[in-house]
Amino acid sequence: MAARVQPRLPAKKRRSSSGSTAYGLVAGFVGPCRGESGSGREVIAVKVDTFRLLANSAGETVVLHPAGDLDLHTAGAIEAWATGYLDGRPAAVTLIDLSDVGFMDSAGLGALIGAWKRITATGRTVMVAAPTPQPARLMRITGLEGRLGVRATVAEALEEVIPRRSHAPA
């Protein structure tokens, strides 16, 4: 029996009690397996990936925190979030924290750019922070690292947008 790799299939969108959205993705492998006795058995291995998208407010800053793979199957979550966000009262600054995005493809990058364009078109600021190595490399080789306002850490980005309060005695 020849090995077959099944394509990644999107599962249903789920909303957790915390308000985050998770998208489950399933990829499978079906192939022959030869045990110690030499008998042929079929083994099925299934990999399940999840994607979460959380948004929190910190004063006049909204922090969007995607976690998981930002790709063709999950890019729609960023687009849907941006639409709902702009229909409400968007904050002065939107910080996109990529510290938990392990992989981003062109569709994910396109969704990120689309959200950036839509939000900045309203006169608001968008910053991207803490990308992991693969998304950082993708943004660097496409020349988008500087344009998207990428910062090395979330703390560095927040330091730029949240003014420090002086604790000097009066």
Side-chain angles (χ1 to χ4, degrees), residues 4-153:
R4 296 184 316 238
V5 176
Q6 298 173 346
R8 292 169 62 137
L9 304 171
K12 290 185 177 180
K13 182 166 67 167
R14 302 180 304 276
R15 212 174 255 295
S16 72
S17 59
S18 66
S20 64
T21 303
Y23 291 83
L25 302 175
V26 178
F29 171 81
V30 178
C33 177
R34 303 224 188 276
E36 289 179 15
S37 64
S39 64
R41 285 187 317 202
E42 190 168 290
V43 173
I44 300 174
V46 177
K47 176 184 174 191
V48 178
D49 295 323
T50 57
F51 178 78
R52 290 176 292 127
L53 187 59
L54 304 172
N56 297 309
S57 290
E60 278 297 308
T61 302
V62 167
V63 179
L64 180 66
H65 187 105
D69 292 348
L70 185 50
D71 57 17
L72 177 64
H73 301 290
T74 59
I78 299 282
E79 294 163 354
W81 177 84
T83 298
Y85 178 60
L86 291 171
D87 286 345
R89 291 186 343 194
V93 177
T94 302
L95 174 62
I96 303 172
D97 175 3
L98 296 178
S99 62
D100 288 327
V101 174
F103 173 79
M104 182 166 53
D105 68 4
S106 60
L109 184 60
L112 195 66
I113 293 166
W116 179 86
K117 282 182 177 180
R118 292 175 65 194
I119 295 167
T120 57
T122 64
R124 289 164 172 78
T125 301
V126 177
M127 299 171 82
V128 178
T132 57
Q134 190 275 330
R137 182 173 185 271
L138 180 62
M139 288 184 283
R140 189 172 42 256
I141 63 175
T142 57
L144 293 168
E145 186 177 48
R147 178 151 180 149
L148 294 177
V150 177
R151 303 301 187 270
T153 65

Side-chain angles (χ1 to χ4, degrees), residues 155-169:
E156 179 184 324
L158 288 174
E159 199 170 283
E160 285 184 42
V161 297
I162 299 175
R164 291 182 179 240
R165 300 187 193 277
S166 174
H167 295 292

